[in-house]
Amino acid sequence: MSTNSKAPIGIFDSGIGGLTVAKAVAKALPNEDIIYFGDTARVPYGIKSEETVREYALQITDFLLSKGVKMILIACNTVSASAKNEIKEKTGSLPVLDVITSGTEMALSQTPNDHVGVIGTLATVNSKAYEKSIHALDSKIKVTQQACPLLVPLAEEGWIDNEVATKTLESYLSVFDNSDINSLILGCTHYPLFKKAIPSILKSDTIKIIDSADSIALTAKNTLNALELLNTEGGDFQCFVSDRPQRFQELAERFLGRKISDVVITHL
Ligand code: DGL
């Protein structure tokens, strides 16, 4: 494990979606250097097999380790569902946080829960990773999951609040009609982009919407603090991608609302 507080935090995702996590981390920890890897050549992961996702995730882990990171944040729910344990085996004592564990902890701590809803990619839902994570904390909680595979392409296209997005959300979320869920976990990097639209489609303002980006950022801060690894002098944000760095840079700057240093193409 790195004992150098000035070492960067490594964050990775299948593509651009993990910037929701990077943004939350940069806000919670403005003095940390962040290295972000987006696997833009191989996105989406959510429709691939567990074996393939694991192979890709371990390659990215090697890359981040070669950059001397002091902590790794798995921003991708699909990777968290398929490869968390394998990544932890590889990294040993290095702290590795994942959005599923953080999202679960946040959901269960924010409201009394008898029934939790989860939306995610096909791979995340099929893995039942959220269900297992919730039941590890409280086996009595009912969990209803819904895969929403069309939401990733819609978000990538910027179609987050038009008629197509509304109809798609209505169709997927109808599984929660008349249900008694207390919270809904947005179990995919892209879904926070639909956060505004979801409460009215659920026809409820009491259902707590859980954005795992905020929860993992908070966990990262607490973990670094406990390990006395907080940086007070950084703040750089460096992105690496496996394809189309220019497009990534434009989207990232728009999304983060600030200029970032040139995105570097990296073949794993
Ligand atoms: N990053 C993925 C996730 O959070 C969504 C995009 C993909 O399918 O690769 O599950």
Side-chain angles (χ1 to χ4, degrees):
M1 186 178 95
S2 171
T3 50
N4 176 7
S5 59
K6 295 196 171 44
I9 298 174
I11 303 179
F12 77 96
D13 179 46
S14 52
I16 194 127
L19 287 175
T20 50
V21 169
K23 190 175 184 180
V25 172
K27 189 168 170 216
L29 293 161
N31 297 320
E32 295 292 338
D33 290 335
I34 295 172
I35 288 189
Y36 181 93
F37 185 89
D39 199 358
T40 47
R42 303 189 290 199
V43 68
Y45 283 7
I47 50 169
K48 296 195 168 70
S49 69
E50 264 189 16
E51 293 72 28
T52 301
V53 172
R54 247 178 235 147
E55 184 189 326
Y56 294 171
L58 291 174
Q59 289 170 356
I60 300 169
T61 303
D62 278 334
F63 169 74
L64 292 175
L65 291 176
S66 77
K67 294 282 172 195
V69 296
K70 63 181 173 187
M71 169 186 258
I72 290 181
L73 306 189
I74 310 172
C76 180
N77 290 260
T78 303
V79 172
S80 305
S82 317
K84 178 181 74 178
N85 293 339
E86 289 75 8
I87 292 171
K88 286 187 169 174
E89 261 168 46
K90 185 180 262 298
T91 52
S93 61
L94 190 90
V96 175
L97 307 182
D98 71 279
V99 275
I100 292 188
T101 307
S102 303
T104 301
E105 284 166 2
M106 187 178 232
L108 269 53
S109 66
Q110 294 225 335
T111 47
N113 277 290
D114 311 311
H115 190 178
V116 176
V118 180
I119 53 176
T121 64
L122 280 169
T124 299
V125 166
N126 288 342
S127 75
K128 296 198 166 66
Y130 270 104
E131 200 172 315
K132 290 177 199 152
S133 177
I134 291 166
H135 285 158
L137 296 181
D138 187 341
S139 60
K140 290 191 287 301
I141 293 177
K142 184 174 167 196
V143 181
T144 300
Q145 302 191 86
Q146 173 66 40
C148 308
L150 289 176
L151 295 187
V152 167
L154 284 177
E156 294 274 334
E157 202 55 41
W159 287 20
I160 52 172
D161 50 11
N162 64 11
E163 204 185 326
V164 181
T166 307
K167 289 266 175 261
T168 309
L169 282 165
E170 278 170 359
S171 169
Y172 285 139
L173 298 181
S174 64
V175 68
F176 302 113
D177 282 355
N178 306 316
S179 86
D180 55 355
I181 54 168
N182 315 99
S183 46
L184 178 70
I185 299 179
L186 306 181
C188 172
T189 45
H190 291 57
Y191 298 177
L193 296 169
F194 300 98
K195 210 154 74 174
K196 268 202 200 133
I198 289 175
S200 60
I201 290 171
L202 286 173
K203 297 181 204 76
S204 162
D205 41 20
T206 56
I207 298 172
K208 187 96 197 156
I209 306 295
I210 305 294
D211 177 350
S212 32
D214 292 337
S215 61
I216 197 169
L218 188 65
T219 316
K221 188 173 179 177
N222 293 339
T223 307
L224 289 179
N225 193 20
L227 295 170
E228 297 182 1
L229 280 176
L230 282 171
N231 191 356
T232 51
E233 294 165 19
D236 282 353
F237 186 66
Q238 174 76 71
C239 292
F240 297 83
V241 294
S242 47
D243 201 9
R244 302 191 68 194
Q246 193 57 44
R247 176 173 186 265
F248 186 94
Q249 179 144 359
E250 283 162 21
L251 290 174
E253 287 182 350
R254 202 178 327 144
F255 183 72
L256 297 168
R258 65 175 167 111
K259 291 262 168 229
I260 57 170
S261 48
D262 281 351
V263 176
V264 180
I265 187 147
T266 306
H267 301 291
L268 298 175

